[in-house]
Amino acid sequence: MPSRKIPKNHLFVTGAYASSKSDVMIGFESLLEKEYMLLLDFDPTVEKYVEQPVTLPVPGKSRRYTPDLLVTFRKDSTGHRPPAQLIEVKTTAELTRKAEDLEPKFAVAEKYATDRGWIFLKKTELDIRTQRLANLKFLRRYRNLSPAPEEEAGVLARLQVLGGTAELQSLLDMLGATPEEQAQWTPILWNLVVRNRIMFNIDREPLSSNVEVWLPGN
């Protein structure tokens, strides 16, 4: 449960985000924070995240400090669980403009995290507004599609015929002879991509018909 209720703010975008990693809506205080939640939502290493996880007293300050998020991770293949991350989301401009006020708050948060074996991190637009985010904004609309098992198997079999790696358009050409037929297959392809049944370089390439895709393990 959040330690602080997010207030309405006329200067920033606030609201609640529906996360696949939570049974309840997760509050955010800025558009940048909401975008970071999208990255977390599609990160398979993330187990869950909660907003406003703890409120900390700050020496010499009348107001206490509440970091934005606490992110916890799944165990890896060796059974090791990475340390949780206590996160503050701020633009680089905010960090510069408010540096004097934020420094003691961040020092308290870093000590609190270290004492618990966590890591305290600051995330800015440089970390968040990436090619990965742009691709996920496009792909998320296809997440809840449910291709028929034979459709999914057909796509994967044709990609295997192409050597397990091909341009997306080459795969579409095998699936449909006409633009209309290919248009019917396109949402299925995006669904397989967002579910990691088909891979592509999500961090470097914008999605297009000539992007290279491949089967996991290729």
Side-chain angles (χ1 to χ4, degrees), residues 110-118:
E110 187 162 1
K111 183 179 186 306
Y112 183 88
T114 301
D115 288 347
R116 286 156 181 76
W118 302 348

Side-chain angles (χ1 to χ4, degrees), residues 29-217:
E29 291 188 282
S30 69
L31 179 58
L32 188 62
E33 193 174 329
K34 181 183 179 183
E35 290 173 331
Y36 183 56
M37 289 178 183
L38 178 61
L39 293 178
L40 294 175
D41 228 32
F42 282 88
D43 185 341
T45 70
V46 172
E47 184 172 61
K48 66 178 181 178
Y49 56 96
V50 295
E51 89 275 20
Q52 311 285 302
V54 62
T55 297
L56 304 170
V58 181
K61 299 281 185 180
S62 58
R63 297 184 63 183
R64 301 195 294 174
Y65 169 56
T66 306
D68 291 316
L69 296 163
L70 177 65
V71 182
T72 55
F73 297 88
R74 303 181 189 279
K75 292 180 179 179
D76 62 22
S77 58
T78 68
H80 170 71
R81 189 186 300 275
Q85 295 180 356
L86 193 60
I87 302 291
E88 178 66 31
V89 177
K90 285 275 189 292
T91 64
T92 52
E94 282 183 287
L95 291 178
T96 300
R97 187 175 67 252
K98 301 177 180 178
E100 186 175 348
D101 177 61
L102 292 172
E103 185 177 350
K105 296 178 180 179
F106 291 167
V108 166
E110 187 162 1
K111 183 179 186 306
Y112 183 88
T114 301
D115 288 347
R116 286 156 181 76
W118 302 348
I119 301 172
F120 175 65
L121 295 173
K122 299 178 283 291
K123 297 289 183 177
T124 73
E125 72 277 11
L126 301 180
D127 306 298
I128 297 169
R129 289 176 177 158
T130 59
Q131 186 61 61
R132 173 181 284 263
L133 178 68
N135 285 331
L136 289 177
K137 282 184 174 182
F138 172 80
L139 287 169
R140 62 181 168 180
R141 73 195 76 175
Y142 300 101
R143 172 189 251 175
N144 295 325
L145 293 181
S146 299
E150 60 273 17
E151 292 175 328
E152 180 171 334
V155 172
L156 300 181
R158 286 167 174 81
L159 186 51
Q160 187 66 61
V161 168
L162 291 169
T165 301
E167 283 193 356
L168 186 66
Q169 187 59 53
S170 298
L171 182 55
L172 279 170
D173 289 341
M174 289 190 72
L175 291 164
T178 67
E180 292 75 19
E181 289 176 342
Q182 292 183 11
Q184 292 177 346
W185 281 102
T186 299
I188 296 171
L189 286 175
W190 295 143
N191 175 261
L192 296 180
V193 168
V194 79
R195 290 167 47 216
N196 295 320
R197 298 288 285 143
I198 295 176
M199 311 299 293
F200 82 107
N201 196 330
I202 192 170
D203 292 310
R204 293 188 180 180
E205 296 186 67
L207 281 167
S208 68
S209 61
N210 60 4
V211 71
E212 186 177 39
V213 296
W214 59 86
L215 293 171

